[in-house]
Amino acid sequence: MRLLLDPQLNPATDSGWRRRWFDIIYRHDTPSSRNFDLLLIGLILASVLVIMGDSVPRFHARWSGWLYGLEWIFTVLFTIEYGLRLAVVRRPWRYALSSWGLIDLLSILPTYLSLLIPGSQSLLVVRVLRMLRLFRILKLTQYVEEGGMLVGALWRSRRKIFVFISAVLTVVVIFGALMYVVEGPEHGFTSIPTGMYWAIVTMATVGFGDIAPATPLGRFIASVLILIGYSVIAVPTGIYTAELASSLREASHERGHLDRRGCPQCGLEGHDPEALFCRNCGHHLPTPMG
Amino acid sequence: MRLLLDPQLNPATDSGWRRRWFDIIYRHDTPSSRNFDLLLIGLILASVLVIMGDSVPRFHARWSGWLYGLEWIFTVLFTIEYGLRLAVVRRPWRYALSSWGLIDLLSILPTYLSLLIPGSQSLLVVRVLRMLRLFRILKLTQYVEEGGMLVGALWRSRRKIFVFISAVLTVVVIFGALMYVVEGPEHGFTSIPTGMYWAIVTMATVGFGDIAPATPLGRFIASVLILIGYSVIAVPTGIYTAELASSLREASHERGHLDRRGCPQCGLEGHDPEALFCRNCGHHLPTPMG
Amino acid sequence: MRLLLDPQLNPATDSGWRRRWFDIIYRHDTPSSRNFDLLLIGLILASVLVIMGDSVPRFHARWSGWLYGLEWIFTVLFTIEYGLRLAVVRRPWRYALSSWGLIDLLSILPTYLSLLIPGSQSLLVVRVLRMLRLFRILKLTQYVEEGGMLVGALWRSRRKIFVFISAVLTVVVIFGALMYVVEGPEHGFTSIPTGMYWAIVTMATVGFGDIAPATPLGRFIASVLILIGYSVIAVPTGIYTAELASSLREASHERGHLDRRGCPQCGLEGHDPEALFCRNCGHHLPTPMG
Amino acid sequence: MRLLLDPQLNPATDSGWRRRWFDIIYRHDTPSSRNFDLLLIGLILASVLVIMGDSVPRFHARWSGWLYGLEWIFTVLFTIEYGLRLAVVRRPWRYALSSWGLIDLLSILPTYLSLLIPGSQSLLVVRVLRMLRLFRILKLTQYVEEGGMLVGALWRSRRKIFVFISAVLTVVVIFGALMYVVEGPEHGFTSIPTGMYWAIVTMATVGFGDIAPATPLGRFIASVLILIGYSVIAVPTGIYTAELASSLREASHERGHLDRRGCPQCGLEGHDPEALFCRNCGHHLPTPMG
């Protein structure tokens, strides 16, 4: 969850324009900050669409100039926004070095770099990084309880998932090497890493078919690998579902035991709804809900 | 669920032929309305089969005339049915503008439009829309408790699924652009949108193979994307299963705790509905529900 | 479950060779009947392997005669077994018309039919049907409690699965027709049924790639279909898991409440393990387990 | 679980260098044994990377000599390690014949064998076996409780998974033969085993597309098989999830009911471990665990 949160930020001053802009940029519960968020999301989406459009040969040929201009406009706007973000917080460096600050910087730098290094190839790489900007939209999820619960359950099952992925990768190495030996370069298995790529593609039931076994033995090994994958695909689902179901159960358990009676003698709370006497001092409890 | 229901409809009159037809068309619990429903489903299925058959070159070449005739017969029958539906309700416009009314209209309009606009391409589009008629068959599910429970659990987890799809799309944009840069047009990744199409196909473990990475770096990135997809495929399943299991548990919990009597002597609750004496202190219990 | 069970069978006589053979063939708990079962499974597996081997061109070319001979030996053995099965039960017709009796018949008939109709094509179809013999091995599962629980949970969720499959097929019809219109015959979508085949292959995340969208609009529609499939693949898993978890819970609930105390006064059993007094007559119960 | 554990090993002596090395090699809780484990894992990973690199034509052409040398260095190091493992345990044969001992042997033998049998093909097979060395890294999982729980749930559901795989294989045999008859060699279904390979690839939703149905009937049968696979993919997930959820529930149940005190006055059990007085009658409870 921490990745999706802004660092602990404080406004640079207690009043004045910086305080006002701090509220607009970093808070999300006033009308003006809401409008700012919506405008920002709109601009990010538009700039991503421009980058996408520029990559389509047909559009690039026709509107190359317009797209280039729009790109610079977006970059300037995001630069101003970045400057404002730094100007209105008490500790600018803390923000600049946070994950969100770095993403903000990475989403404007590439356009400026493209002036110094005119190589078209590197330019393209740069455009891609700007897309990470999209992650900022996800900041909204921190307000949606649902999103938090999903990420929470994923986070709590991270060690189980790591053990699972390690086991999968071990199987992948062995089957990748086996297929390299059995099928060989003439059927597309040109090296062990290629065989591992094929094994991952197969075990995860993606199955591109760009590389496929052609010998009877290779097909038999592939079938075994598929059946292994078919049987263990249950594991991540099982881990996650059990974890999520347990969260839901605990949540409903907490709701179900909202007995708010305090003991009149010792003050202890959190009694069983059916309890008649305080479990700590033995004093008679008031009737529930009465 | 609301999408699958007819709007709150009332018969146009309290008696007469319109009342009788209202009962036949809109109710589903009398023998004549049952027969009407079955006939309608049969006609819809037959008309869909005719459209499908007409699209197969072999059948089109041989029975083109027959299929064209059948199509018009079905259209006329459905037009009469549409007219009847409007005639027998108190507020025809309310029905006409409901989702089911619009689907009814869309399933007859295209054939008439094909007379005015003879372009074969547009004609085909029109035929497809008539297939939405099939959804009406699903109206039957509203009576099957099972269907209701399935849709209910899906509906309650809609926000979680939306958050999940957003996260998936973010990953898709980044990996689509990455692959466009790494693999480039010569390996089929002709633009960022094409790369995104590939990323969706790969992450959802479909893997057509029409576009596949060919460079070592591209294959490594593809493997990472596949492992991400393999780990998160658990999420929608986990969401839905936990939600459905919680519905089932609540349903059985409600059945199990229908007895709300407290023991007059020791206060214990949660007695068996058939119990006559308190299981804790042996005191006579009050009569259930009395 | 009923499909996997023999019909309610009784031996033809109470003693003699028919009674002995009835016990050997239809019971599974004596040493001789165990040996018979193992021998039968061995023969079925061997005959299936012979059929498979005969279909491999390399083996067919070399050992065509041997394989043909073996096939006839297996057929004669299974014919004798079929005759015995009919001879030792009280109502032979009842067995002959049961699902297992029909499978037994179908697994020997084709070889005899191949004498009358020498067409090689039809012969092959015949060989395939004999493989249904394999299902008989599954009879063993009826003794494995695990197998019964799996089939039971599948059976109880059959209506939910039917509703789900209907919804999937509706989506398949609409997207199949859409792709036929959008992509057309030049990209492999030669008819609406072909489009439906593609939609099933795509939605179930199989993705052969023999037919794949090539236009931007087609790829966008395919992406939407994949995301729909990705979201609803959770549904059958959710249905089945919730059903199975509920079976397991009920089973452990029953085990957990094995309180075997009978009331000394009225004799009622099935008390709560914590109960001190009979819930029916208020008499003091004996101490549990003491 | 037993597969992942070392056999019950005892040190060869109670003191001296062998005792010290036993602690370093077989224990995992002292600083020096930790360092040994980390060094070993590093060496195994490095040697696997060398084997992989050697299989890539580009690297093989350039650094063939270096890679060959490194391979021998790793083999000598692992041979010394193998000798030490045998020297410091009380019963060397017991270790040598355990699964880990065999894997240790198999991971050094191939390099020596390559001196006697210079055939390049067999050499390659040999290299692959050395990769099983990777499994030893998994020994670490026995300390991670998470890994143990995953394997435990998989182990407890092994019989259900076996029944499921048997049912899947039966369907695979029948559909493989059906497709062989319907599509025939001209569409890639050259034999029944090939058809079975296709059926496994299809049913597990891998879908390479190297073999794909081309006739309408074949496509219909493929669609049926896919829908069967789509419906039953829920089964292994359901089995595993239900089993894992039940483990988690039992674990939390055990934690929650560690208090076995009964109230001396009213007999109520299930008190909070911190409770001093009965929640039902207010009587003083005995001290927990006393």
Side-chain angles (χ1 to χ4, degrees):
Chain A
M1 283 302 288
R2 216 173 299 160
L3 267 173
L4 299 176
L5 290 170
D6 271 331
Q8 205 71 35
L9 293 173
N10 292 309
T13 57
D14 284 345
S15 59
W17 69 270
R18 291 164 93 189
R19 171 75 212 195
R20 268 204 310 284
W21 275 100
F22 179 87
D23 288 349
I24 290 170
I25 295 179
Y26 288 108
R27 292 179 64 186
H28 308 272
D29 46 4
T30 64
S32 51
S33 67
R34 283 258 174 112
N35 290 338
F36 179 81
D37 282 350
L38 288 175
L39 178 72
L40 194 60
I41 289 171
L43 284 176
I44 292 168
L45 273 178
S47 93
V48 168
L49 284 176
V50 164
I51 298 166
M52 282 185 193
D54 198 30
S55 79
V56 179
R58 209 163 16 138
F59 297 158
H60 185 80
R62 218 180 283 177
W63 298 302
S64 173
W66 282 96
L67 295 169
Y68 187 74
L70 276 171
E71 215 177 290
W72 270 102
I73 291 169
F74 286 126
T75 304
V76 168
L77 285 174
F78 290 136
T79 309
I80 294 169
E81 182 224 336
Y82 182 65
L84 263 177
R85 280 187 185 271
L86 290 180
V88 300
V89 288
R90 190 158 286 170
R91 303 193 198 167
W93 277 107
R94 194 165 179 175
Y95 177 75
L97 295 172
S98 74
S99 47
W100 282 111
L102 290 172
I103 290 172
D104 286 343
L105 186 62
L106 279 173
S107 65
I108 50 173
L109 263 191
T111 320
Y112 296 111
L113 278 173
S114 72
L115 290 178
L116 300 171
I117 311 149
S120 65
Q121 277 300 92
S122 56
L123 237 168
L124 285 166
V125 180
V126 143
R127 274 171 188 159
V128 170
L129 290 170
R130 266 186 290 169
M131 258 168 224
L132 288 168
R133 216 176 274 160
L134 260 180
F135 272 129
R136 274 201 311 222
I137 300 174
L138 286 179
K139 250 194 308 194
L140 290 170
T141 64
Q142 84 198 51
Y143 299 100
V144 187
E145 194 195 343
E146 322 274 336
M149 189 175 267
L150 293 188
V151 175
L154 210 54
W155 182 248
R156 254 172 300 126
S157 49
R158 69 191 178 284
R159 267 181 303 178
K160 286 204 196 72
I161 285 177
F162 174 77
V163 170
F164 172 70
I165 292 283
S166 308
V168 165
L169 283 181
T170 307
V171 173
V172 158
V173 169
I174 292 169
F175 275 85
L178 255 179
M179 290 302 277
Y180 167 61
V181 173
V182 168
E183 292 277 335
E186 62 266 38
H187 296 128
F189 295 83
T190 51
S191 65
I192 293 180
T194 305
M196 287 166 62
Y197 158 74
W198 173 87
I200 288 177
V201 165
T202 300
M203 207 179 166
T205 75
V206 175
F208 284 128
D210 54 343
I211 306 169
T215 64
L217 182 56
R219 283 175 172 176
F220 176 75
I221 295 170
S223 302
V224 171
L225 180 61
I226 288 168
L227 286 181
I228 291 175
Y230 202 49
S231 303
V232 302
I233 205 170
V235 176
T237 311
I239 295 167
Y240 190 73
T241 307
E243 204 68 63
L244 200 63
S246 136
S247 314
L248 283 178
R249 204 163 31 240
E250 268 168 40
S252 82
H253 196 72
E254 271 169 26
R255 274 201 301 279
H257 282 72
L258 270 174
D259 193 277
R260 298 182 170 282
R261 296 176 297 168
C263 173
Q265 186 173 306
C266 71
L268 187 79
E269 291 191 349
H271 295 284
D272 189 290
E274 286 184 11
L276 299 174
F277 294 88
C278 171
R279 68 170 192 268
N280 187 44
C281 67
H283 196 275
H284 204 292
L285 290 171
T287 328
M289 317 286 155
Chain B
M1 283 304 288
R2 216 172 300 162
L3 267 172
L4 299 177
L5 290 170
D6 271 331
Q8 205 72 36
L9 293 172
N10 292 309
T13 57
D14 284 345
S15 59
W17 70 270
R18 290 164 96 190
R19 171 76 212 195
R20 269 203 311 283
W21 276 101
F22 180 88
D23 287 348
I24 290 171
I25 295 179
Y26 288 107
R27 291 178 65 186
H28 307 272
D29 46 3
T30 64
S32 51
S33 66
R34 284 258 173 112
N35 291 336
F36 179 82
D37 282 351
L38 287 175
L39 178 73
L40 194 60
I41 289 171
L43 284 176
I44 293 168
L45 274 178
S47 93
V48 168
L49 284 177
V50 163
I51 299 166
M52 281 185 193
D54 198 29
S55 79
V56 178
R58 207 162 18 136
F59 297 157
H60 185 80
R62 218 180 284 177
W63 298 303
S64 173
W66 283 97
L67 295 169
Y68 186 74
L70 277 171
E71 215 176 291
W72 270 103
I73 291 170
F74 286 126
T75 304
V76 168
L77 285 175
F78 291 135
T79 309
I80 294 168
E81 183 224 336
Y82 183 64
L84 263 177
R85 280 187 186 272
L86 290 181
V88 300
V89 288
R90 190 158 289 170
R91 305 192 197 167
W93 277 108
R94 195 167 179 174
Y95 177 76
L97 295 173
S98 74
S99 46
W100 282 111
L102 291 172
I103 289 173
D104 285 342
L105 186 62
L106 280 173
S107 66
I108 49 173
L109 263 191
T111 320
Y112 296 111
L113 279 173
S114 73
L115 290 177
L116 300 172
I117 311 149
S120 66
Q121 277 299 92
S122 56
L123 236 167
L124 285 167
V125 180
V126 143
R127 273 169 190 161
V128 169
L129 290 170
R130 265 186 290 168
M131 259 169 223
L132 288 168
R133 214 176 276 161
L134 261 181
F135 272 128
R136 274 201 309 222
I137 301 174
L138 286 178
K139 249 195 310 195
L140 291 170
T141 65
Q142 86 199 49
Y143 299 99
V144 189
E145 193 194 344
E146 322 275 335
M149 190 174 265
L150 294 188
V151 175
L154 210 55
W155 183 249
R156 255 171 300 126
S157 50
R158 69 190 179 283
R159 266 180 303 178
K160 287 204 196 71
I161 285 177
F162 174 77
V163 169
F164 172 70
I165 292 283
S166 308
V168 164
L169 284 181
T170 307
V171 173
V172 158
V173 169
I174 292 169
F175 274 85
L178 254 179
M179 290 303 278
Y180 167 61
V181 172
V182 168
E183 292 277 334
E186 62 265 37
H187 296 127
F189 295 83
T190 50
S191 65
I192 293 180
T194 304
M196 287 166 60
Y197 158 73
W198 173 86
I200 288 176
V201 165
T202 300
M203 208 178 165
T205 76
V206 175
F208 284 128
D210 53 344
I211 307 169
T215 65
L217 183 56
R219 283 175 172 175
F220 177 75
I221 295 170
S223 301
V224 171
L225 180 62
I226 288 169
L227 286 182
I228 291 175
Y230 201 51
S231 303
V232 302
I233 204 170
V235 176
T237 310
I239 294 168
Y240 190 73
T241 306
E243 203 68 65
L244 200 62
S246 136
S247 314
L248 282 178
R249 204 164 31 241
E250 267 167 41
S252 82
H253 196 72
E254 269 169 28
R255 275 199 300 279
H257 280 72
L258 276 173
D259 195 275
R260 297 182 170 281
R261 296 175 296 168
C263 173
Q265 185 172 308
C266 69
L268 188 78
E269 291 191 349
H271 294 284
D272 189 291
E274 287 182 11
L276 300 174
F277 293 88
C278 171
R279 68 169 192 269
N280 187 45
C281 68
H283 197 276
H284 204 292
L285 290 171
T287 327
M289 318 284 155
Chain C
M1 281 302 288
R2 217 172 300 162
L3 267 173
L4 299 177
L5 290 171
D6 271 331
Q8 206 71 35
L9 292 173
N10 292 310
T13 58
D14 284 345
S15 60
W17 69 269
R18 290 163 94 191
R19 170 77 211 195
R20 269 203 310 283
W21 276 100
F22 180 87
D23 288 349
I24 290 171
I25 295 179
Y26 287 107
R27 293 179 65 186
H28 308 272
D29 46 3
T30 64
S32 51
S33 66
R34 284 259 173 112
N35 290 337
F36 179 81
D37 282 351
L38 288 175
L39 179 73
L40 194 60
I41 290 171
L43 284 176
I44 293 167
L45 274 177
S47 94
V48 168
L49 284 176
V50 164
I51 299 165
M52 282 184 192
D54 198 29
S55 79
V56 178
R58 206 163 18 137
F59 297 158
H60 185 79
R62 219 180 283 176
W63 298 302
S64 173
W66 282 97
L67 294 169
Y68 186 75
L70 276 171
E71 216 177 290
W72 269 103
I73 291 169
F74 286 126
T75 305
V76 168
L77 285 175
F78 290 135
T79 308
I80 293 168
E81 182 223 336
Y82 182 64
L84 263 177
R85 279 188 186 272
L86 290 180
V88 300
V89 288
R90 190 158 288 170
R91 304 193 198 168
W93 277 107
R94 194 164 179 175
Y95 178 76
L97 295 172
S98 74
S99 46
W100 281 111
L102 290 172
I103 290 172
D104 285 342
L105 186 61
L106 279 173
S107 66
I108 50 172
L109 263 191
T111 319
Y112 296 112
L113 279 173
S114 73
L115 291 178
L116 300 171
I117 312 149
S120 66
Q121 277 299 92
S122 55
L123 238 168
L124 285 168
V125 180
V126 143
R127 273 170 191 160
V128 169
L129 290 169
R130 265 186 291 169
M131 259 168 224
L132 288 167
R133 214 175 276 161
L134 260 180
F135 273 129
R136 274 201 310 222
I137 302 175
L138 286 178
K139 248 195 309 193
L140 291 169
T141 64
Q142 85 197 52
Y143 298 100
V144 188
E145 193 195 344
E146 322 274 336
M149 189 174 267
L150 294 188
V151 175
L154 210 54
W155 182 249
R156 255 171 299 126
S157 50
R158 70 190 178 284
R159 267 180 303 179
K160 288 204 195 71
I161 285 177
F162 175 77
V163 170
F164 172 70
I165 292 283
S166 308
V168 164
L169 284 181
T170 307
V171 172
V172 158
V173 169
I174 292 168
F175 275 85
L178 254 179
M179 290 303 278
Y180 168 61
V181 172
V182 168
E183 292 278 334
E186 62 267 36
H187 296 128
F189 295 83
T190 50
S191 65
I192 293 180
T194 305
M196 286 166 62
Y197 158 73
W198 173 86
I200 288 177
V201 165
T202 301
M203 207 179 167
T205 75
V206 175
F208 283 129
D210 53 344
I211 306 170
T215 65
L217 182 56
R219 283 175 173 176
F220 176 75
I221 294 170
S223 301
V224 171
L225 179 62
I226 289 169
L227 286 181
I228 290 175
Y230 202 50
S231 303
V232 302
I233 204 170
V235 176
T237 310
I239 294 168
Y240 190 73
T241 306
E243 204 67 63
L244 200 62
S246 136
S247 313
L248 282 178
R249 207 168 24 243
E250 267 168 42
S252 82
H253 196 72
E254 270 169 28
R255 273 201 301 279
H257 282 73
L258 270 174
D259 193 277
R260 299 184 169 281
R261 295 177 296 168
C263 174
Q265 186 173 306
C266 69
L268 187 79
E269 291 191 350
H271 294 285
D272 189 289
E274 287 184 10
L276 299 173
F277 294 89
C278 172
R279 68 169 191 268
N280 188 42
C281 66
H283 196 272
H284 205 293
L285 290 171
T287 327
M289 319 285 155
Chain D
M1 283 299 289
R2 217 173 298 162
L3 268 172
L4 298 176
L5 291 171
D6 271 331
Q8 205 71 34
L9 293 172
N10 294 308
T13 58
D14 285 346
S15 59
W17 69 268
R18 291 164 94 189
R19 171 76 210 195
R20 270 204 310 283
W21 275 100
F22 180 88
D23 288 350
I24 291 172
I25 295 179
Y26 288 107
R27 292 179 64 185
H28 307 272
D29 46 3
T30 64
S32 51
S33 67
R34 284 259 173 112
N35 290 337
F36 179 81
D37 282 351
L38 288 176
L39 179 72
L40 194 60
I41 289 171
L43 285 176
I44 292 168
L45 274 179
S47 93
V48 168
L49 285 176
V50 164
I51 298 166
M52 281 184 194
D54 198 29
S55 79
V56 178
R58 206 163 20 138
F59 296 158
H60 185 81
R62 218 180 283 178
W63 299 302
S64 172
W66 282 97
L67 294 169
Y68 186 74
L70 276 171
E71 215 177 289
W72 270 103
I73 292 170
F74 286 126
T75 304
V76 167
L77 285 175
F78 291 136
T79 309
I80 294 168
E81 183 224 335
Y82 183 64
L84 264 178
R85 279 187 186 271
L86 290 180
V88 300
V89 289
R90 190 158 288 170
R91 304 193 199 166
W93 277 108
R94 194 167 179 176
Y95 177 76
L97 295 174
S98 73
S99 47
W100 282 110
L102 291 173
I103 290 172
D104 285 342
L105 186 62
L106 279 173
S107 66
I108 50 173
L109 263 191
T111 321
Y112 297 111
L113 280 173
S114 72
L115 291 177
L116 301 171
I117 312 149
S120 66
Q121 276 300 91
S122 55
L123 237 169
L124 285 167
V125 180
V126 144
R127 273 171 190 158
V128 169
L129 290 170
R130 265 186 290 168
M131 258 168 224
L132 288 167
R133 216 174 274 160
L134 260 180
F135 272 130
R136 273 198 313 220
I137 302 174
L138 285 179
K139 249 196 308 196
L140 290 169
T141 64
Q142 85 199 52
Y143 299 100
V144 188
E145 194 196 343
E146 322 274 336
M149 189 174 267
L150 293 189
V151 176
L154 211 55
W155 182 250
R156 255 171 300 125
S157 49
R158 69 190 178 286
R159 267 181 302 179
K160 286 205 196 71
I161 285 178
F162 175 76
V163 170
F164 172 70
I165 292 283
S166 308
V168 164
L169 284 181
T170 308
V171 173
V172 158
V173 169
I174 292 168
F175 275 85
L178 254 180
M179 290 302 277
Y180 167 61
V181 172
V182 168
E183 292 277 335
E186 63 267 35
H187 296 127
F189 295 83
T190 50
S191 65
I192 293 181
T194 306
M196 287 167 61
Y197 158 74
W198 173 86
I200 288 177
V201 165
T202 301
M203 206 179 167
T205 75
V206 174
F208 284 129
D210 52 345
I211 306 169
T215 65
L217 183 56
R219 283 175 173 175
F220 177 75
I221 294 170
S223 301
V224 171
L225 179 62
I226 289 168
L227 286 181
I228 291 175
Y230 202 51
S231 303
V232 301
I233 205 169
V235 176
T237 311
I239 294 167
Y240 190 74
T241 307
E243 203 67 65
L244 200 63
S246 136
S247 314
L248 283 179
R249 207 168 25 244
E250 266 168 41
S252 82
H253 196 72
E254 270 169 28
R255 275 199 302 277
H257 280 73
L258 275 173
D259 194 276
R260 299 184 169 279
R261 295 176 296 168
C263 173
Q265 185 173 308
C266 70
L268 188 77
E269 291 190 350
H271 294 285
D272 190 289
E274 287 182 9
L276 299 174
F277 294 89
C278 172
R279 68 168 192 268
N280 187 44
C281 67
H283 196 273
H284 205 292
L285 289 172
T287 328
M289 320 284 156

